[in-house]
Amino acid sequence: MSLTIKLHLTSQLNNLRHNNKTNLPKPIYSINPLIITIKKYKVKQRIKGGGNSNNNNMIKSSLIEPDGGILVDLVVPESQRDSKISEAQSMAKVKLTRIDLEWVHVISEGWASPLRGFMRESEYLQSLHFNCLRMEDGCVVNMSLPIVLAIDDETKGRIGTSFNVALVGPLGDCVAILRSIEIYEHNKEERIGRTWGTTVPGLPYVEEVITPAGNWLIGGDLEVLKPIKYNDGLDNYRLSPKQLRKEFDTRKADAVFAFQLRNPVHNGHALLMNDTRKRLLEMGYKNPVLLLHPLGGFTKADDVPLDVRMEQHSKVLEDGVLDPKTTIVAIFPSPMHYAGPTEVQWHAKARINAGANFYIVGRDPAGMAHPTEKRDLYDPDHGKKVLTMAPGLGKLNILPFKVAAYDTRDNKMAFFDPTRAKDFLFISGTKMRAYARNGEDPPNGFMCPSGWKVLVKYYESTQAEEPS
Amino acid sequence: MSLTIKLHLTSQLNNLRHNNKTNLPKPIYSINPLIITIKKYKVKQRIKGGGNSNNNNMIKSSLIEPDGGILVDLVVPESQRDSKISEAQSMAKVKLTRIDLEWVHVISEGWASPLRGFMRESEYLQSLHFNCLRMEDGCVVNMSLPIVLAIDDETKGRIGTSFNVALVGPLGDCVAILRSIEIYEHNKEERIGRTWGTTVPGLPYVEEVITPAGNWLIGGDLEVLKPIKYNDGLDNYRLSPKQLRKEFDTRKADAVFAFQLRNPVHNGHALLMNDTRKRLLEMGYKNPVLLLHPLGGFTKADDVPLDVRMEQHSKVLEDGVLDPKTTIVAIFPSPMHYAGPTEVQWHAKARINAGANFYIVGRDPAGMAHPTEKRDLYDPDHGKKVLTMAPGLGKLNILPFKVAAYDTRDNKMAFFDPTRAKDFLFISGTKMRAYARNGEDPPNGFMCPSGWKVLVKYYESTQAEEPS
């Protein structure tokens, strides 16, 4: 392995932030994914002005326009910070949970553009019923998940007839102002039914967020007093859509393909990503860049935690399984709903705002096992089908891929070939965990050894914590 | 009462069908409804050709275009009937329930235009997630309810690899052919969750139709072998969208306002309908026509049956509470879902296809009490809000109205005035039933006496049937 390949992810990040040049080898893997839809590509070179007083920087949208035309940025300029903080102190307070704060982060950086705050009722209803919002100009943007803030009766009482409220983070600091508020009923049953297509007990986001939440939703225009940070050693990976767009431009990317994940990267993923790049080159793009974009907000208890995943991803780049020169690894700050076809639209839409014009969608995106029945909660094909039909996502190129599995004939990950099904070994998360717990190695070629070691270490630590 | 006012509904129907002239007095009631949205009116005089080989008649769309531009008509021409029936005999058979047949009826006459059969998966998914369908030309039409046909494992097995199937009515006769079929999974839980926003037990359509249905859905292109008839003495009221459009043209209507209902008409409804006409006249329309359009398909057990409602409606016209000259009473053949804001879109969309360009929406349309909690299943305001936001309904003028109640000061039905709330008496369905069962009359002015008598007779008959 050459020195350049062994670059640690942090150096890669620093690299791309400071000198924006790397000089690394070409992709290693190259196998055919099923690329169904490649839409006509139009080069857009537009300079977008602010339109928002808080958004003074020019945002260049070289590949794809953000939804609504202007990337939302709701962090108040430093010059106004002190006066806004004083103003917030005098307002009625709404206490945020950790996950509420993740949504403040998401909204403030424009991942949900053109949304400028927690949803008011008219946005909520459109999201719930139509998975999209109609703009004043008649254009439709995708918005499949209700992005809402719940409050309880006591808080509603304290707010009274106030027009604005201050949002207080889990640590007690004022993090944002919500202006021109609207309070409306939080019909949890209906929200859950329409978002998940079920109200069965055991939905992780429902149990963590919705069931304990108050019976009211509060919408309004958000102003975030300073950029949201988590101080967990990973903030440097949390690039905003504006930073990502700038980086794509600096790298002179002429195509950006996003890969959403919340699991460790195995060689099946890697072969797909590398092959996608190869395909894009064959299509005439000169410099397609991969946005490897792990989800960083709330995940369910048995998912691999973010810090472990980030370490695993860094090993994958160090080992040269993915090429740091053409890959940007960053954290997508959204919480996870596990809402299948409804949520995958959100995952795709947010990446449009970050500048990606290609989106790779796998089997059963944002899916999980049914909590009470022996089946997947969603039809594994519905995610990619819905994505190609979804209002407001027409400008995004959707790249579906075939299932990858371990090919015991060639001892490597490959796309499943049904004509010789018996040669293929499916290594599920559960199976992977069993390998790690039993100290067994997975088949050679399933994952780069250094990435695997990260997982073994993690699973050993969880075992040590479990009661005997 | 003049002779003309006492015209029976049947005569009115015959009238409009045969000589299309009436000469009746002007509306009696005139109180202000809340008319929020009146969209710009464009006179359209277009002659639409078939585009469908089964649709040889020219369809004139004087007021509003059907969704998709062409009114679907899937009844095979008489000249082809015999050969199609022979063809159907040789096909694999799918047995229809009474409610399936109601949907065949609905689809065949173009109420669901541009839908040309039971939904295939791609239509089903769009309906379920987006409440609309995107057409090939990029236009969007509203389609909020999945219009699907369920089959069980045994039927699926019998169909095997057939391309076409014959649909067999509850009486054993071949009623239709479904061509180029597609069979896909019927995930009942997800369908219910996304359509009703709940999976609570006690939803009438779910218990009647979905729970007992098979685990597969079969979509395809429908050909109906002959017009669907019920032979219940009410078929004459079942005017197709084509017949209604023709009638509006014959009457030279320059506005058609539709009123969906599944309950008896009281004077509160009537004052609203009459006032709407007055408003439309004030806006400059010369001949606004009311489509009084009771739903005729499946309704829940405690709703008043169709034949009783039709008799009650006829009394309302005989008594002159509504003016037969400017009113068309016809049956809307759809089954009822009781799916609130999701269903009201269907009710509105179907009326576009029937030629209505104004739609009156009340409080809690298509709503009901929550089956297990002491509250309405839906926020009573969501129906009209969703209707004004719904994709594909932009061309329809939505007319919301305020709640009517019995004004004890003036002894008549009037729009509720919150400044003197104590004067108003709300007469719910339950209360109305109690009056009728106890042989009491409702307050004078609540409903025309002859219409009330129809209800008393009905409720007496149900009491007689109940075990003591």
Side-chain angles (χ1 to χ4, degrees), chain B residues 181-209:
Chain B
I181 57 164
E182 181 186 295
I183 297 176
Y184 54 103
E185 268 189 68
H186 187 195
N187 183 331
K188 298 180 189 183
E189 182 184 65
E190 186 174 5
R191 175 181 172 196
I192 298 163
R194 296 197 190 279
T195 305
W196 280 269
T198 176
T199 56
V200 70
L203 301 169
Y205 189 89
V206 169
E207 303 212 331
E208 181 74 22
V209 178

PDB file of all heavy atoms in Angstrom, chain B residues 181-209:
ATOM      1  N   ILE B 181     -52.721  -8.065 -16.916  1.00  0.00           N
ATOM      2  CA  ILE B 181     -52.778  -7.969 -15.451  1.00  0.00           C
ATOM      3  C   ILE B 181     -51.394  -7.944 -14.809  1.00  0.00           C
ATOM      4  O   ILE B 181     -50.399  -8.390 -15.390  1.00  0.00           O
ATOM      5  CB  ILE B 181     -53.579  -9.155 -14.848  1.00  0.00           C
ATOM      6  CG1 ILE B 181     -52.953 -10.487 -15.281  1.00  0.00           C
ATOM      7  CG2 ILE B 181     -55.039  -9.068 -15.223  1.00  0.00           C
ATOM      8  CD1 ILE B 181     -53.417 -11.657 -14.467  1.00  0.00           C
ATOM      9  N   GLU B 182     -51.373  -7.408 -13.618  1.00  0.00           N
ATOM     10  CA  GLU B 182     -50.172  -7.425 -12.775  1.00  0.00           C
ATOM     11  C   GLU B 182     -50.650  -7.797 -11.373  1.00  0.00           C
ATOM     12  O   GLU B 182     -51.610  -7.209 -10.872  1.00  0.00           O
ATOM     13  CB  GLU B 182     -49.545  -6.033 -12.775  1.00  0.00           C
ATOM     14  CG  GLU B 182     -48.282  -5.916 -11.956  1.00  0.00           C
ATOM     15  CD  GLU B 182     -47.784  -4.469 -11.886  1.00  0.00           C
ATOM     16  OE1 GLU B 182     -47.408  -3.911 -12.938  1.00  0.00           O
ATOM     17  OE2 GLU B 182     -47.791  -3.908 -10.772  1.00  0.00           O
ATOM     18  N   ILE B 183     -49.995  -8.771 -10.778  1.00  0.00           N
ATOM     19  CA  ILE B 183     -50.363  -9.190  -9.417  1.00  0.00           C
ATOM     20  C   ILE B 183     -49.233  -8.798  -8.478  1.00  0.00           C
ATOM     21  O   ILE B 183     -48.066  -9.038  -8.766  1.00  0.00           O
ATOM     22  CB  ILE B 183     -50.634 -10.715  -9.361  1.00  0.00           C
ATOM     23  CG1 ILE B 183     -51.847 -11.047 -10.255  1.00  0.00           C
ATOM     24  CG2 ILE B 183     -50.884 -11.182  -7.927  1.00  0.00           C
ATOM     25  CD1 ILE B 183     -52.172 -12.529 -10.361  1.00  0.00           C
ATOM     26  N   TYR B 184     -49.584  -8.177  -7.390  1.00  0.00           N
ATOM     27  CA  TYR B 184     -48.565  -7.736  -6.418  1.00  0.00           C
ATOM     28  C   TYR B 184     -49.117  -7.869  -5.004  1.00  0.00           C
ATOM     29  O   TYR B 184     -50.315  -8.086  -4.817  1.00  0.00           O
ATOM     30  CB  TYR B 184     -48.106  -6.300  -6.722  1.00  0.00           C
ATOM     31  CG  TYR B 184     -49.213  -5.276  -6.813  1.00  0.00           C
ATOM     32  CD1 TYR B 184     -49.456  -4.389  -5.777  1.00  0.00           C
ATOM     33  CD2 TYR B 184     -50.032  -5.192  -7.945  1.00  0.00           C
ATOM     34  CE1 TYR B 184     -50.478  -3.440  -5.849  1.00  0.00           C
ATOM     35  CE2 TYR B 184     -51.054  -4.244  -8.019  1.00  0.00           C
ATOM     36  CZ  TYR B 184     -51.273  -3.390  -6.980  1.00  0.00           C
ATOM     37  OH  TYR B 184     -52.286  -2.470  -7.054  1.00  0.00           O
ATOM     38  N   GLU B 185     -48.233  -7.735  -4.038  1.00  0.00           N
ATOM     39  CA  GLU B 185     -48.619  -8.012  -2.654  1.00  0.00           C
ATOM     40  C   GLU B 185     -49.611  -6.997  -2.107  1.00  0.00           C
ATOM     41  O   GLU B 185     -49.495  -5.808  -2.376  1.00  0.00           O
ATOM     42  CB  GLU B 185     -47.387  -8.030  -1.749  1.00  0.00           C
ATOM     43  CG  GLU B 185     -46.815  -9.415  -1.602  1.00  0.00           C
ATOM     44  CD  GLU B 185     -45.735  -9.470  -0.547  1.00  0.00           C
ATOM     45  OE1 GLU B 185     -46.056  -9.299   0.640  1.00  0.00           O
ATOM     46  OE2 GLU B 185     -44.567  -9.668  -0.928  1.00  0.00           O
ATOM     47  N   HIS B 186     -50.532  -7.481  -1.329  1.00  0.00           N
ATOM     48  CA  HIS B 186     -51.520  -6.641  -0.654  1.00  0.00           C
ATOM     49  C   HIS B 186     -51.098  -6.523   0.805  1.00  0.00           C
ATOM     50  O   HIS B 186     -51.472  -7.334   1.640  1.00  0.00           O
ATOM     51  CB  HIS B 186     -52.901  -7.305  -0.766  1.00  0.00           C
ATOM     52  CG  HIS B 186     -54.027  -6.456  -0.250  1.00  0.00           C
ATOM     53  ND1 HIS B 186     -55.270  -6.974   0.006  1.00  0.00           N
ATOM     54  CD2 HIS B 186     -54.113  -5.137   0.057  1.00  0.00           C
ATOM     55  CE1 HIS B 186     -56.086  -6.012   0.435  1.00  0.00           C
ATOM     56  NE2 HIS B 186     -55.391  -4.897   0.480  1.00  0.00           N
ATOM     57  N   ASN B 187     -50.270  -5.536   1.080  1.00  0.00           N
ATOM     58  CA  ASN B 187     -49.859  -5.303   2.465  1.00  0.00           C
ATOM     59  C   ASN B 187     -50.970  -4.494   3.121  1.00  0.00           C
ATOM     60  O   ASN B 187     -51.038  -3.264   3.021  1.00  0.00           O
ATOM     61  CB  ASN B 187     -48.518  -4.558   2.501  1.00  0.00           C
ATOM     62  CG  ASN B 187     -48.021  -4.358   3.922  1.00  0.00           C
ATOM     63  OD1 ASN B 187     -48.809  -4.259   4.861  1.00  0.00           O
ATOM     64  ND2 ASN B 187     -46.709  -4.303   4.083  1.00  0.00           N
ATOM     65  N   LYS B 188     -51.864  -5.221   3.765  1.00  0.00           N
ATOM     66  CA  LYS B 188     -53.077  -4.571   4.285  1.00  0.00           C
ATOM     67  C   LYS B 188     -52.744  -3.544   5.351  1.00  0.00           C
ATOM     68  O   LYS B 188     -53.323  -2.457   5.375  1.00  0.00           O
ATOM     69  CB  LYS B 188     -54.010  -5.631   4.874  1.00  0.00           C
ATOM     70  CG  LYS B 188     -54.497  -6.646   3.866  1.00  0.00           C
ATOM     71  CD  LYS B 188     -55.415  -7.649   4.556  1.00  0.00           C
ATOM     72  CE  LYS B 188     -55.733  -8.790   3.598  1.00  0.00           C
ATOM     73  NZ  LYS B 188     -56.673  -9.744   4.226  1.00  0.00           N
ATOM     74  N   GLU B 189     -51.829  -3.903   6.225  1.00  0.00           N
ATOM     75  CA  GLU B 189     -51.484  -2.984   7.316  1.00  0.00           C
ATOM     76  C   GLU B 189     -51.009  -1.645   6.752  1.00  0.00           C
ATOM     77  O   GLU B 189     -51.464  -0.578   7.176  1.00  0.00           O
ATOM     78  CB  GLU B 189     -50.389  -3.605   8.183  1.00  0.00           C
ATOM     79  CG  GLU B 189     -49.996  -2.748   9.361  1.00  0.00           C
ATOM     80  CD  GLU B 189     -48.837  -3.357  10.150  1.00  0.00           C
ATOM     81  OE1 GLU B 189     -47.710  -3.467   9.612  1.00  0.00           O
ATOM     82  OE2 GLU B 189     -49.069  -3.736  11.300  1.00  0.00           O
ATOM     83  N   GLU B 190     -50.115  -1.703   5.773  1.00  0.00           N
ATOM     84  CA  GLU B 190     -49.569  -0.463   5.216  1.00  0.00           C
ATOM     85  C   GLU B 190     -50.645   0.312   4.454  1.00  0.00           C
ATOM     86  O   GLU B 190     -50.743   1.540   4.554  1.00  0.00           O
ATOM     87  CB  GLU B 190     -48.389  -0.770   4.289  1.00  0.00           C
ATOM     88  CG  GLU B 190     -47.710   0.499   3.801  1.00  0.00           C
ATOM     89  CD  GLU B 190     -46.448   0.252   2.992  1.00  0.00           C
ATOM     90  OE1 GLU B 190     -46.126  -0.920   2.709  1.00  0.00           O
ATOM     91  OE2 GLU B 190     -45.793   1.251   2.629  1.00  0.00           O
ATOM     92  N   ARG B 191     -51.461  -0.414   3.700  1.00  0.00           N
ATOM     93  CA  ARG B 191     -52.544   0.259   2.970  1.00  0.00           C
ATOM     94  C   ARG B 191     -53.474   0.987   3.934  1.00  0.00           C
ATOM     95  O   ARG B 191     -53.849   2.142   3.706  1.00  0.00           O
ATOM     96  CB  ARG B 191     -53.333  -0.793   2.167  1.00  0.00           C
ATOM     97  CG  ARG B 191     -54.540  -0.226   1.464  1.00  0.00           C
ATOM     98  CD  ARG B 191     -55.296  -1.317   0.706  1.00  0.00           C
ATOM     99  NE  ARG B 191     -56.555  -0.829   0.185  1.00  0.00           N
ATOM    100  CZ  ARG B 191     -57.543  -1.605  -0.238  1.00  0.00           C
ATOM    101  NH1 ARG B 191     -57.399  -2.933  -0.234  1.00  0.00           N
ATOM    102  NH2 ARG B 191     -58.661  -1.085  -0.691  1.00  0.00           N
ATOM    103  N   ILE B 192     -53.825   0.320   5.019  1.00  0.00           N
ATOM    104  CA  ILE B 192     -54.741   0.925   5.991  1.00  0.00           C
ATOM    105  C   ILE B 192     -54.068   2.116   6.678  1.00  0.00           C
ATOM    106  O   ILE B 192     -54.631   3.208   6.775  1.00  0.00           O
ATOM    107  CB  ILE B 192     -55.190  -0.135   7.027  1.00  0.00           C
ATOM    108  CG1 ILE B 192     -55.948  -1.264   6.331  1.00  0.00           C
ATOM    109  CG2 ILE B 192     -56.028   0.502   8.132  1.00  0.00           C
ATOM    110  CD1 ILE B 192     -56.089  -2.538   7.159  1.00  0.00           C
ATOM    111  N   GLY B 193     -52.829   1.902   7.124  1.00  0.00           N
ATOM    112  CA  GLY B 193     -52.115   2.970   7.831  1.00  0.00           C
ATOM    113  C   GLY B 193     -51.984   4.227   6.995  1.00  0.00           C
ATOM    114  O   GLY B 193     -52.217   5.341   7.470  1.00  0.00           O
ATOM    115  N   ARG B 194     -51.636   4.058   5.733  1.00  0.00           N
ATOM    116  CA  ARG B 194     -51.409   5.239   4.885  1.00  0.00           C
ATOM    117  C   ARG B 194     -52.716   5.863   4.391  1.00  0.00           C
ATOM    118  O   ARG B 194     -52.758   7.047   4.084  1.00  0.00           O
ATOM    119  CB  ARG B 194     -50.513   4.874   3.695  1.00  0.00           C
ATOM    120  CG  ARG B 194     -49.104   4.447   4.109  1.00  0.00           C
ATOM    121  CD  ARG B 194     -48.127   4.484   2.955  1.00  0.00           C
ATOM    122  NE  ARG B 194     -46.867   3.857   3.288  1.00  0.00           N
ATOM    123  CZ  ARG B 194     -45.882   4.439   3.975  1.00  0.00           C
ATOM    124  NH1 ARG B 194     -46.021   5.673   4.407  1.00  0.00           N
ATOM    125  NH2 ARG B 194     -44.757   3.796   4.241  1.00  0.00           N
ATOM    126  N   THR B 195     -53.770   5.069   4.278  1.00  0.00           N
ATOM    127  CA  THR B 195     -55.048   5.618   3.802  1.00  0.00           C
ATOM    128  C   THR B 195     -55.834   6.288   4.924  1.00  0.00           C
ATOM    129  O   THR B 195     -56.400   7.361   4.736  1.00  0.00           O
ATOM    130  CB  THR B 195     -55.895   4.506   3.152  1.00  0.00           C
ATOM    131  OG1 THR B 195     -55.137   3.874   2.121  1.00  0.00           O
ATOM    132  CG2 THR B 195     -57.185   5.065   2.550  1.00  0.00           C
ATOM    133  N   TRP B 196     -55.848   5.651   6.095  1.00  0.00           N
ATOM    134  CA  TRP B 196     -56.661   6.185   7.200  1.00  0.00           C
ATOM    135  C   TRP B 196     -55.837   6.923   8.241  1.00  0.00           C
ATOM    136  O   TRP B 196     -56.398   7.590   9.094  1.00  0.00           O
ATOM    137  CB  TRP B 196     -57.456   5.057   7.874  1.00  0.00           C
ATOM    138  CG  TRP B 196     -58.681   4.672   7.132  1.00  0.00           C
ATOM    139  CD1 TRP B 196     -59.944   5.190   7.307  1.00  0.00           C
ATOM    140  CD2 TRP B 196     -58.805   3.713   6.072  1.00  0.00           C
ATOM    141  NE1 TRP B 196     -60.822   4.607   6.427  1.00  0.00           N
ATOM    142  CE2 TRP B 196     -60.156   3.690   5.666  1.00  0.00           C
ATOM    143  CE3 TRP B 196     -57.917   2.846   5.423  1.00  0.00           C
ATOM    144  CZ2 TRP B 196     -60.626   2.864   4.645  1.00  0.00           C
ATOM    145  CZ3 TRP B 196     -58.380   2.030   4.415  1.00  0.00           C
ATOM    146  CH2 TRP B 196     -59.712   2.047   4.031  1.00  0.00           C
ATOM    147  N   GLY B 197     -54.511   6.765   8.209  1.00  0.00           N
ATOM    148  CA  GLY B 197     -53.700   7.382   9.258  1.00  0.00           C
ATOM    149  C   GLY B 197     -53.892   6.711  10.598  1.00  0.00           C
ATOM    150  O   GLY B 197     -53.582   7.273  11.648  1.00  0.00           O
ATOM    151  N   THR B 198     -54.393   5.504  10.587  1.00  0.00           N
ATOM    152  CA  THR B 198     -54.559   4.698  11.800  1.00  0.00           C
ATOM    153  C   THR B 198     -54.805   3.268  11.354  1.00  0.00           C
ATOM    154  O   THR B 198     -55.249   3.041  10.225  1.00  0.00           O
ATOM    155  CB  THR B 198     -55.744   5.185  12.655  1.00  0.00           C
ATOM    156  OG1 THR B 198     -55.897   4.295  13.774  1.00  0.00           O
ATOM    157  CG2 THR B 198     -57.053   5.207  11.880  1.00  0.00           C
ATOM    158  N   THR B 199     -54.531   2.331  12.260  1.00  0.00           N
ATOM    159  CA  THR B 199     -54.886   0.934  11.976  1.00  0.00           C
ATOM    160  C   THR B 199     -55.810   0.411  13.073  1.00  0.00           C
ATOM    161  O   THR B 199     -55.913  -0.784  13.293  1.00  0.00           O
ATOM    162  CB  THR B 199     -53.623   0.046  11.904  1.00  0.00           C
ATOM    163  OG1 THR B 199     -52.902   0.196  13.128  1.00  0.00           O
ATOM    164  CG2 THR B 199     -52.719   0.435  10.752  1.00  0.00           C
ATOM    165  N   VAL B 200     -56.455   1.346  13.757  1.00  0.00           N
ATOM    166  CA  VAL B 200     -57.338   0.975  14.870  1.00  0.00           C
ATOM    167  C   VAL B 200     -58.471   0.057  14.380  1.00  0.00           C
ATOM    168  O   VAL B 200     -58.976   0.234  13.271  1.00  0.00           O
ATOM    169  CB  VAL B 200     -57.896   2.273  15.518  1.00  0.00           C
ATOM    170  CG1 VAL B 200     -58.890   2.983  14.612  1.00  0.00           C
ATOM    171  CG2 VAL B 200     -58.489   2.020  16.889  1.00  0.00           C
ATOM    172  N   PRO B 201     -58.880  -0.922  15.172  1.00  0.00           N
ATOM    173  CA  PRO B 201     -60.035  -1.744  14.779  1.00  0.00           C
ATOM    174  C   PRO B 201     -61.305  -0.893  14.762  1.00  0.00           C
ATOM    175  O   PRO B 201     -61.401   0.075  15.520  1.00  0.00           O
ATOM    176  CB  PRO B 201     -60.141  -2.797  15.895  1.00  0.00           C
ATOM    177  CG  PRO B 201     -58.896  -2.684  16.705  1.00  0.00           C
ATOM    178  CD  PRO B 201     -58.326  -1.317  16.478  1.00  0.00           C
ATOM    179  N   GLY B 202     -62.240  -1.255  13.895  1.00  0.00           N
ATOM    180  CA  GLY B 202     -63.524  -0.554  13.880  1.00  0.00           C
ATOM    181  C   GLY B 202     -63.690   0.412  12.725  1.00  0.00           C
ATOM    182  O   GLY B 202     -64.661   1.155  12.690  1.00  0.00           O
ATOM    183  N   LEU B 203     -62.760   0.420  11.751  1.00  0.00           N
ATOM    184  CA  LEU B 203     -62.933   1.253  10.564  1.00  0.00           C
ATOM    185  C   LEU B 203     -63.863   0.493   9.616  1.00  0.00           C
ATOM    186  O   LEU B 203     -63.549  -0.624   9.195  1.00  0.00           O
ATOM    187  CB  LEU B 203     -61.581   1.511   9.887  1.00  0.00           C
ATOM    188  CG  LEU B 203     -60.522   2.212  10.755  1.00  0.00           C
ATOM    189  CD1 LEU B 203     -59.157   2.174  10.074  1.00  0.00           C
ATOM    190  CD2 LEU B 203     -60.928   3.654  11.052  1.00  0.00           C
ATOM    191  N   PRO B 204     -65.006   1.081   9.261  1.00  0.00           N
ATOM    192  CA  PRO B 204     -66.030   0.289   8.550  1.00  0.00           C
ATOM    193  C   PRO B 204     -65.548  -0.344   7.239  1.00  0.00           C
ATOM    194  O   PRO B 204     -65.788  -1.523   7.005  1.00  0.00           O
ATOM    195  CB  PRO B 204     -67.153   1.312   8.302  1.00  0.00           C
ATOM    196  CG  PRO B 204     -66.952   2.380   9.330  1.00  0.00           C
ATOM    197  CD  PRO B 204     -65.478   2.440   9.584  1.00  0.00           C
ATOM    198  N   TYR B 205     -64.877   0.440   6.386  1.00  0.00           N
ATOM    199  CA  TYR B 205     -64.455  -0.112   5.089  1.00  0.00           C
ATOM    200  C   TYR B 205     -63.387  -1.189   5.287  1.00  0.00           C
ATOM    201  O   TYR B 205     -63.347  -2.182   4.575  1.00  0.00           O
ATOM    202  CB  TYR B 205     -63.930   1.010   4.192  1.00  0.00           C
ATOM    203  CG  TYR B 205     -63.674   0.593   2.752  1.00  0.00           C
ATOM    204  CD1 TYR B 205     -64.685   0.680   1.799  1.00  0.00           C
ATOM    205  CD2 TYR B 205     -62.430   0.118   2.343  1.00  0.00           C
ATOM    206  CE1 TYR B 205     -64.463   0.321   0.481  1.00  0.00           C
ATOM    207  CE2 TYR B 205     -62.193  -0.254   1.026  1.00  0.00           C
ATOM    208  CZ  TYR B 205     -63.219  -0.150   0.096  1.00  0.00           C
ATOM    209  OH  TYR B 205     -62.991  -0.520  -1.207  1.00  0.00           O
ATOM    210  N   VAL B 206     -62.542  -0.973   6.262  1.00  0.00           N
ATOM    211  CA  VAL B 206     -61.486  -1.947   6.543  1.00  0.00           C
ATOM    212  C   VAL B 206     -62.110  -3.271   6.963  1.00  0.00           C
ATOM    213  O   VAL B 206     -61.757  -4.340   6.447  1.00  0.00           O
ATOM    214  CB  VAL B 206     -60.536  -1.413   7.638  1.00  0.00           C
ATOM    215  CG1 VAL B 206     -59.599  -2.522   8.118  1.00  0.00           C
ATOM    216  CG2 VAL B 206     -59.743  -0.218   7.120  1.00  0.00           C
ATOM    217  N   GLU B 207     -63.060  -3.197   7.894  1.00  0.00           N
ATOM    218  CA  GLU B 207     -63.648  -4.435   8.402  1.00  0.00           C
ATOM    219  C   GLU B 207     -64.501  -5.131   7.348  1.00  0.00           C
ATOM    220  O   GLU B 207     -64.530  -6.348   7.267  1.00  0.00           O
ATOM    221  CB  GLU B 207     -64.478  -4.138   9.655  1.00  0.00           C
ATOM    222  CG  GLU B 207     -63.592  -3.469  10.702  1.00  0.00           C
ATOM    223  CD  GLU B 207     -63.955  -3.779  12.141  1.00  0.00           C
ATOM    224  OE1 GLU B 207     -65.135  -4.031  12.418  1.00  0.00           O
ATOM    225  OE2 GLU B 207     -63.024  -3.758  12.977  1.00  0.00           O
ATOM    226  N   GLU B 208     -65.180  -4.317   6.540  1.00  0.00           N
ATOM    227  CA  GLU B 208     -66.061  -4.895   5.524  1.00  0.00           C
ATOM    228  C   GLU B 208     -65.269  -5.414   4.332  1.00  0.00           C
ATOM    229  O   GLU B 208     -65.595  -6.458   3.765  1.00  0.00           O
ATOM    230  CB  GLU B 208     -67.052  -3.821   5.045  1.00  0.00           C
ATOM    231  CG  GLU B 208     -68.044  -4.278   3.994  1.00  0.00           C
ATOM    232  CD  GLU B 208     -69.142  -5.170   4.536  1.00  0.00           C
ATOM    233  OE1 GLU B 208     -69.399  -5.123   5.753  1.00  0.00           O
ATOM    234  OE2 GLU B 208     -69.734  -5.938   3.738  1.00  0.00           O
ATOM    235  N   VAL B 209     -64.244  -4.700   3.926  1.00  0.00           N
ATOM    236  CA  VAL B 209     -63.592  -4.976   2.640  1.00  0.00           C
ATOM    237  C   VAL B 209     -62.165  -5.512   2.792  1.00  0.00           C
ATOM    238  O   VAL B 209     -61.816  -6.524   2.190  1.00  0.00           O
ATOM    239  CB  VAL B 209     -63.554  -3.685   1.776  1.00  0.00           C
ATOM    240  CG1 VAL B 209     -62.832  -3.935   0.455  1.00  0.00           C
ATOM    241  CG2 VAL B 209     -64.979  -3.186   1.526  1.00  0.00           C
TER     242      VAL B 209
END
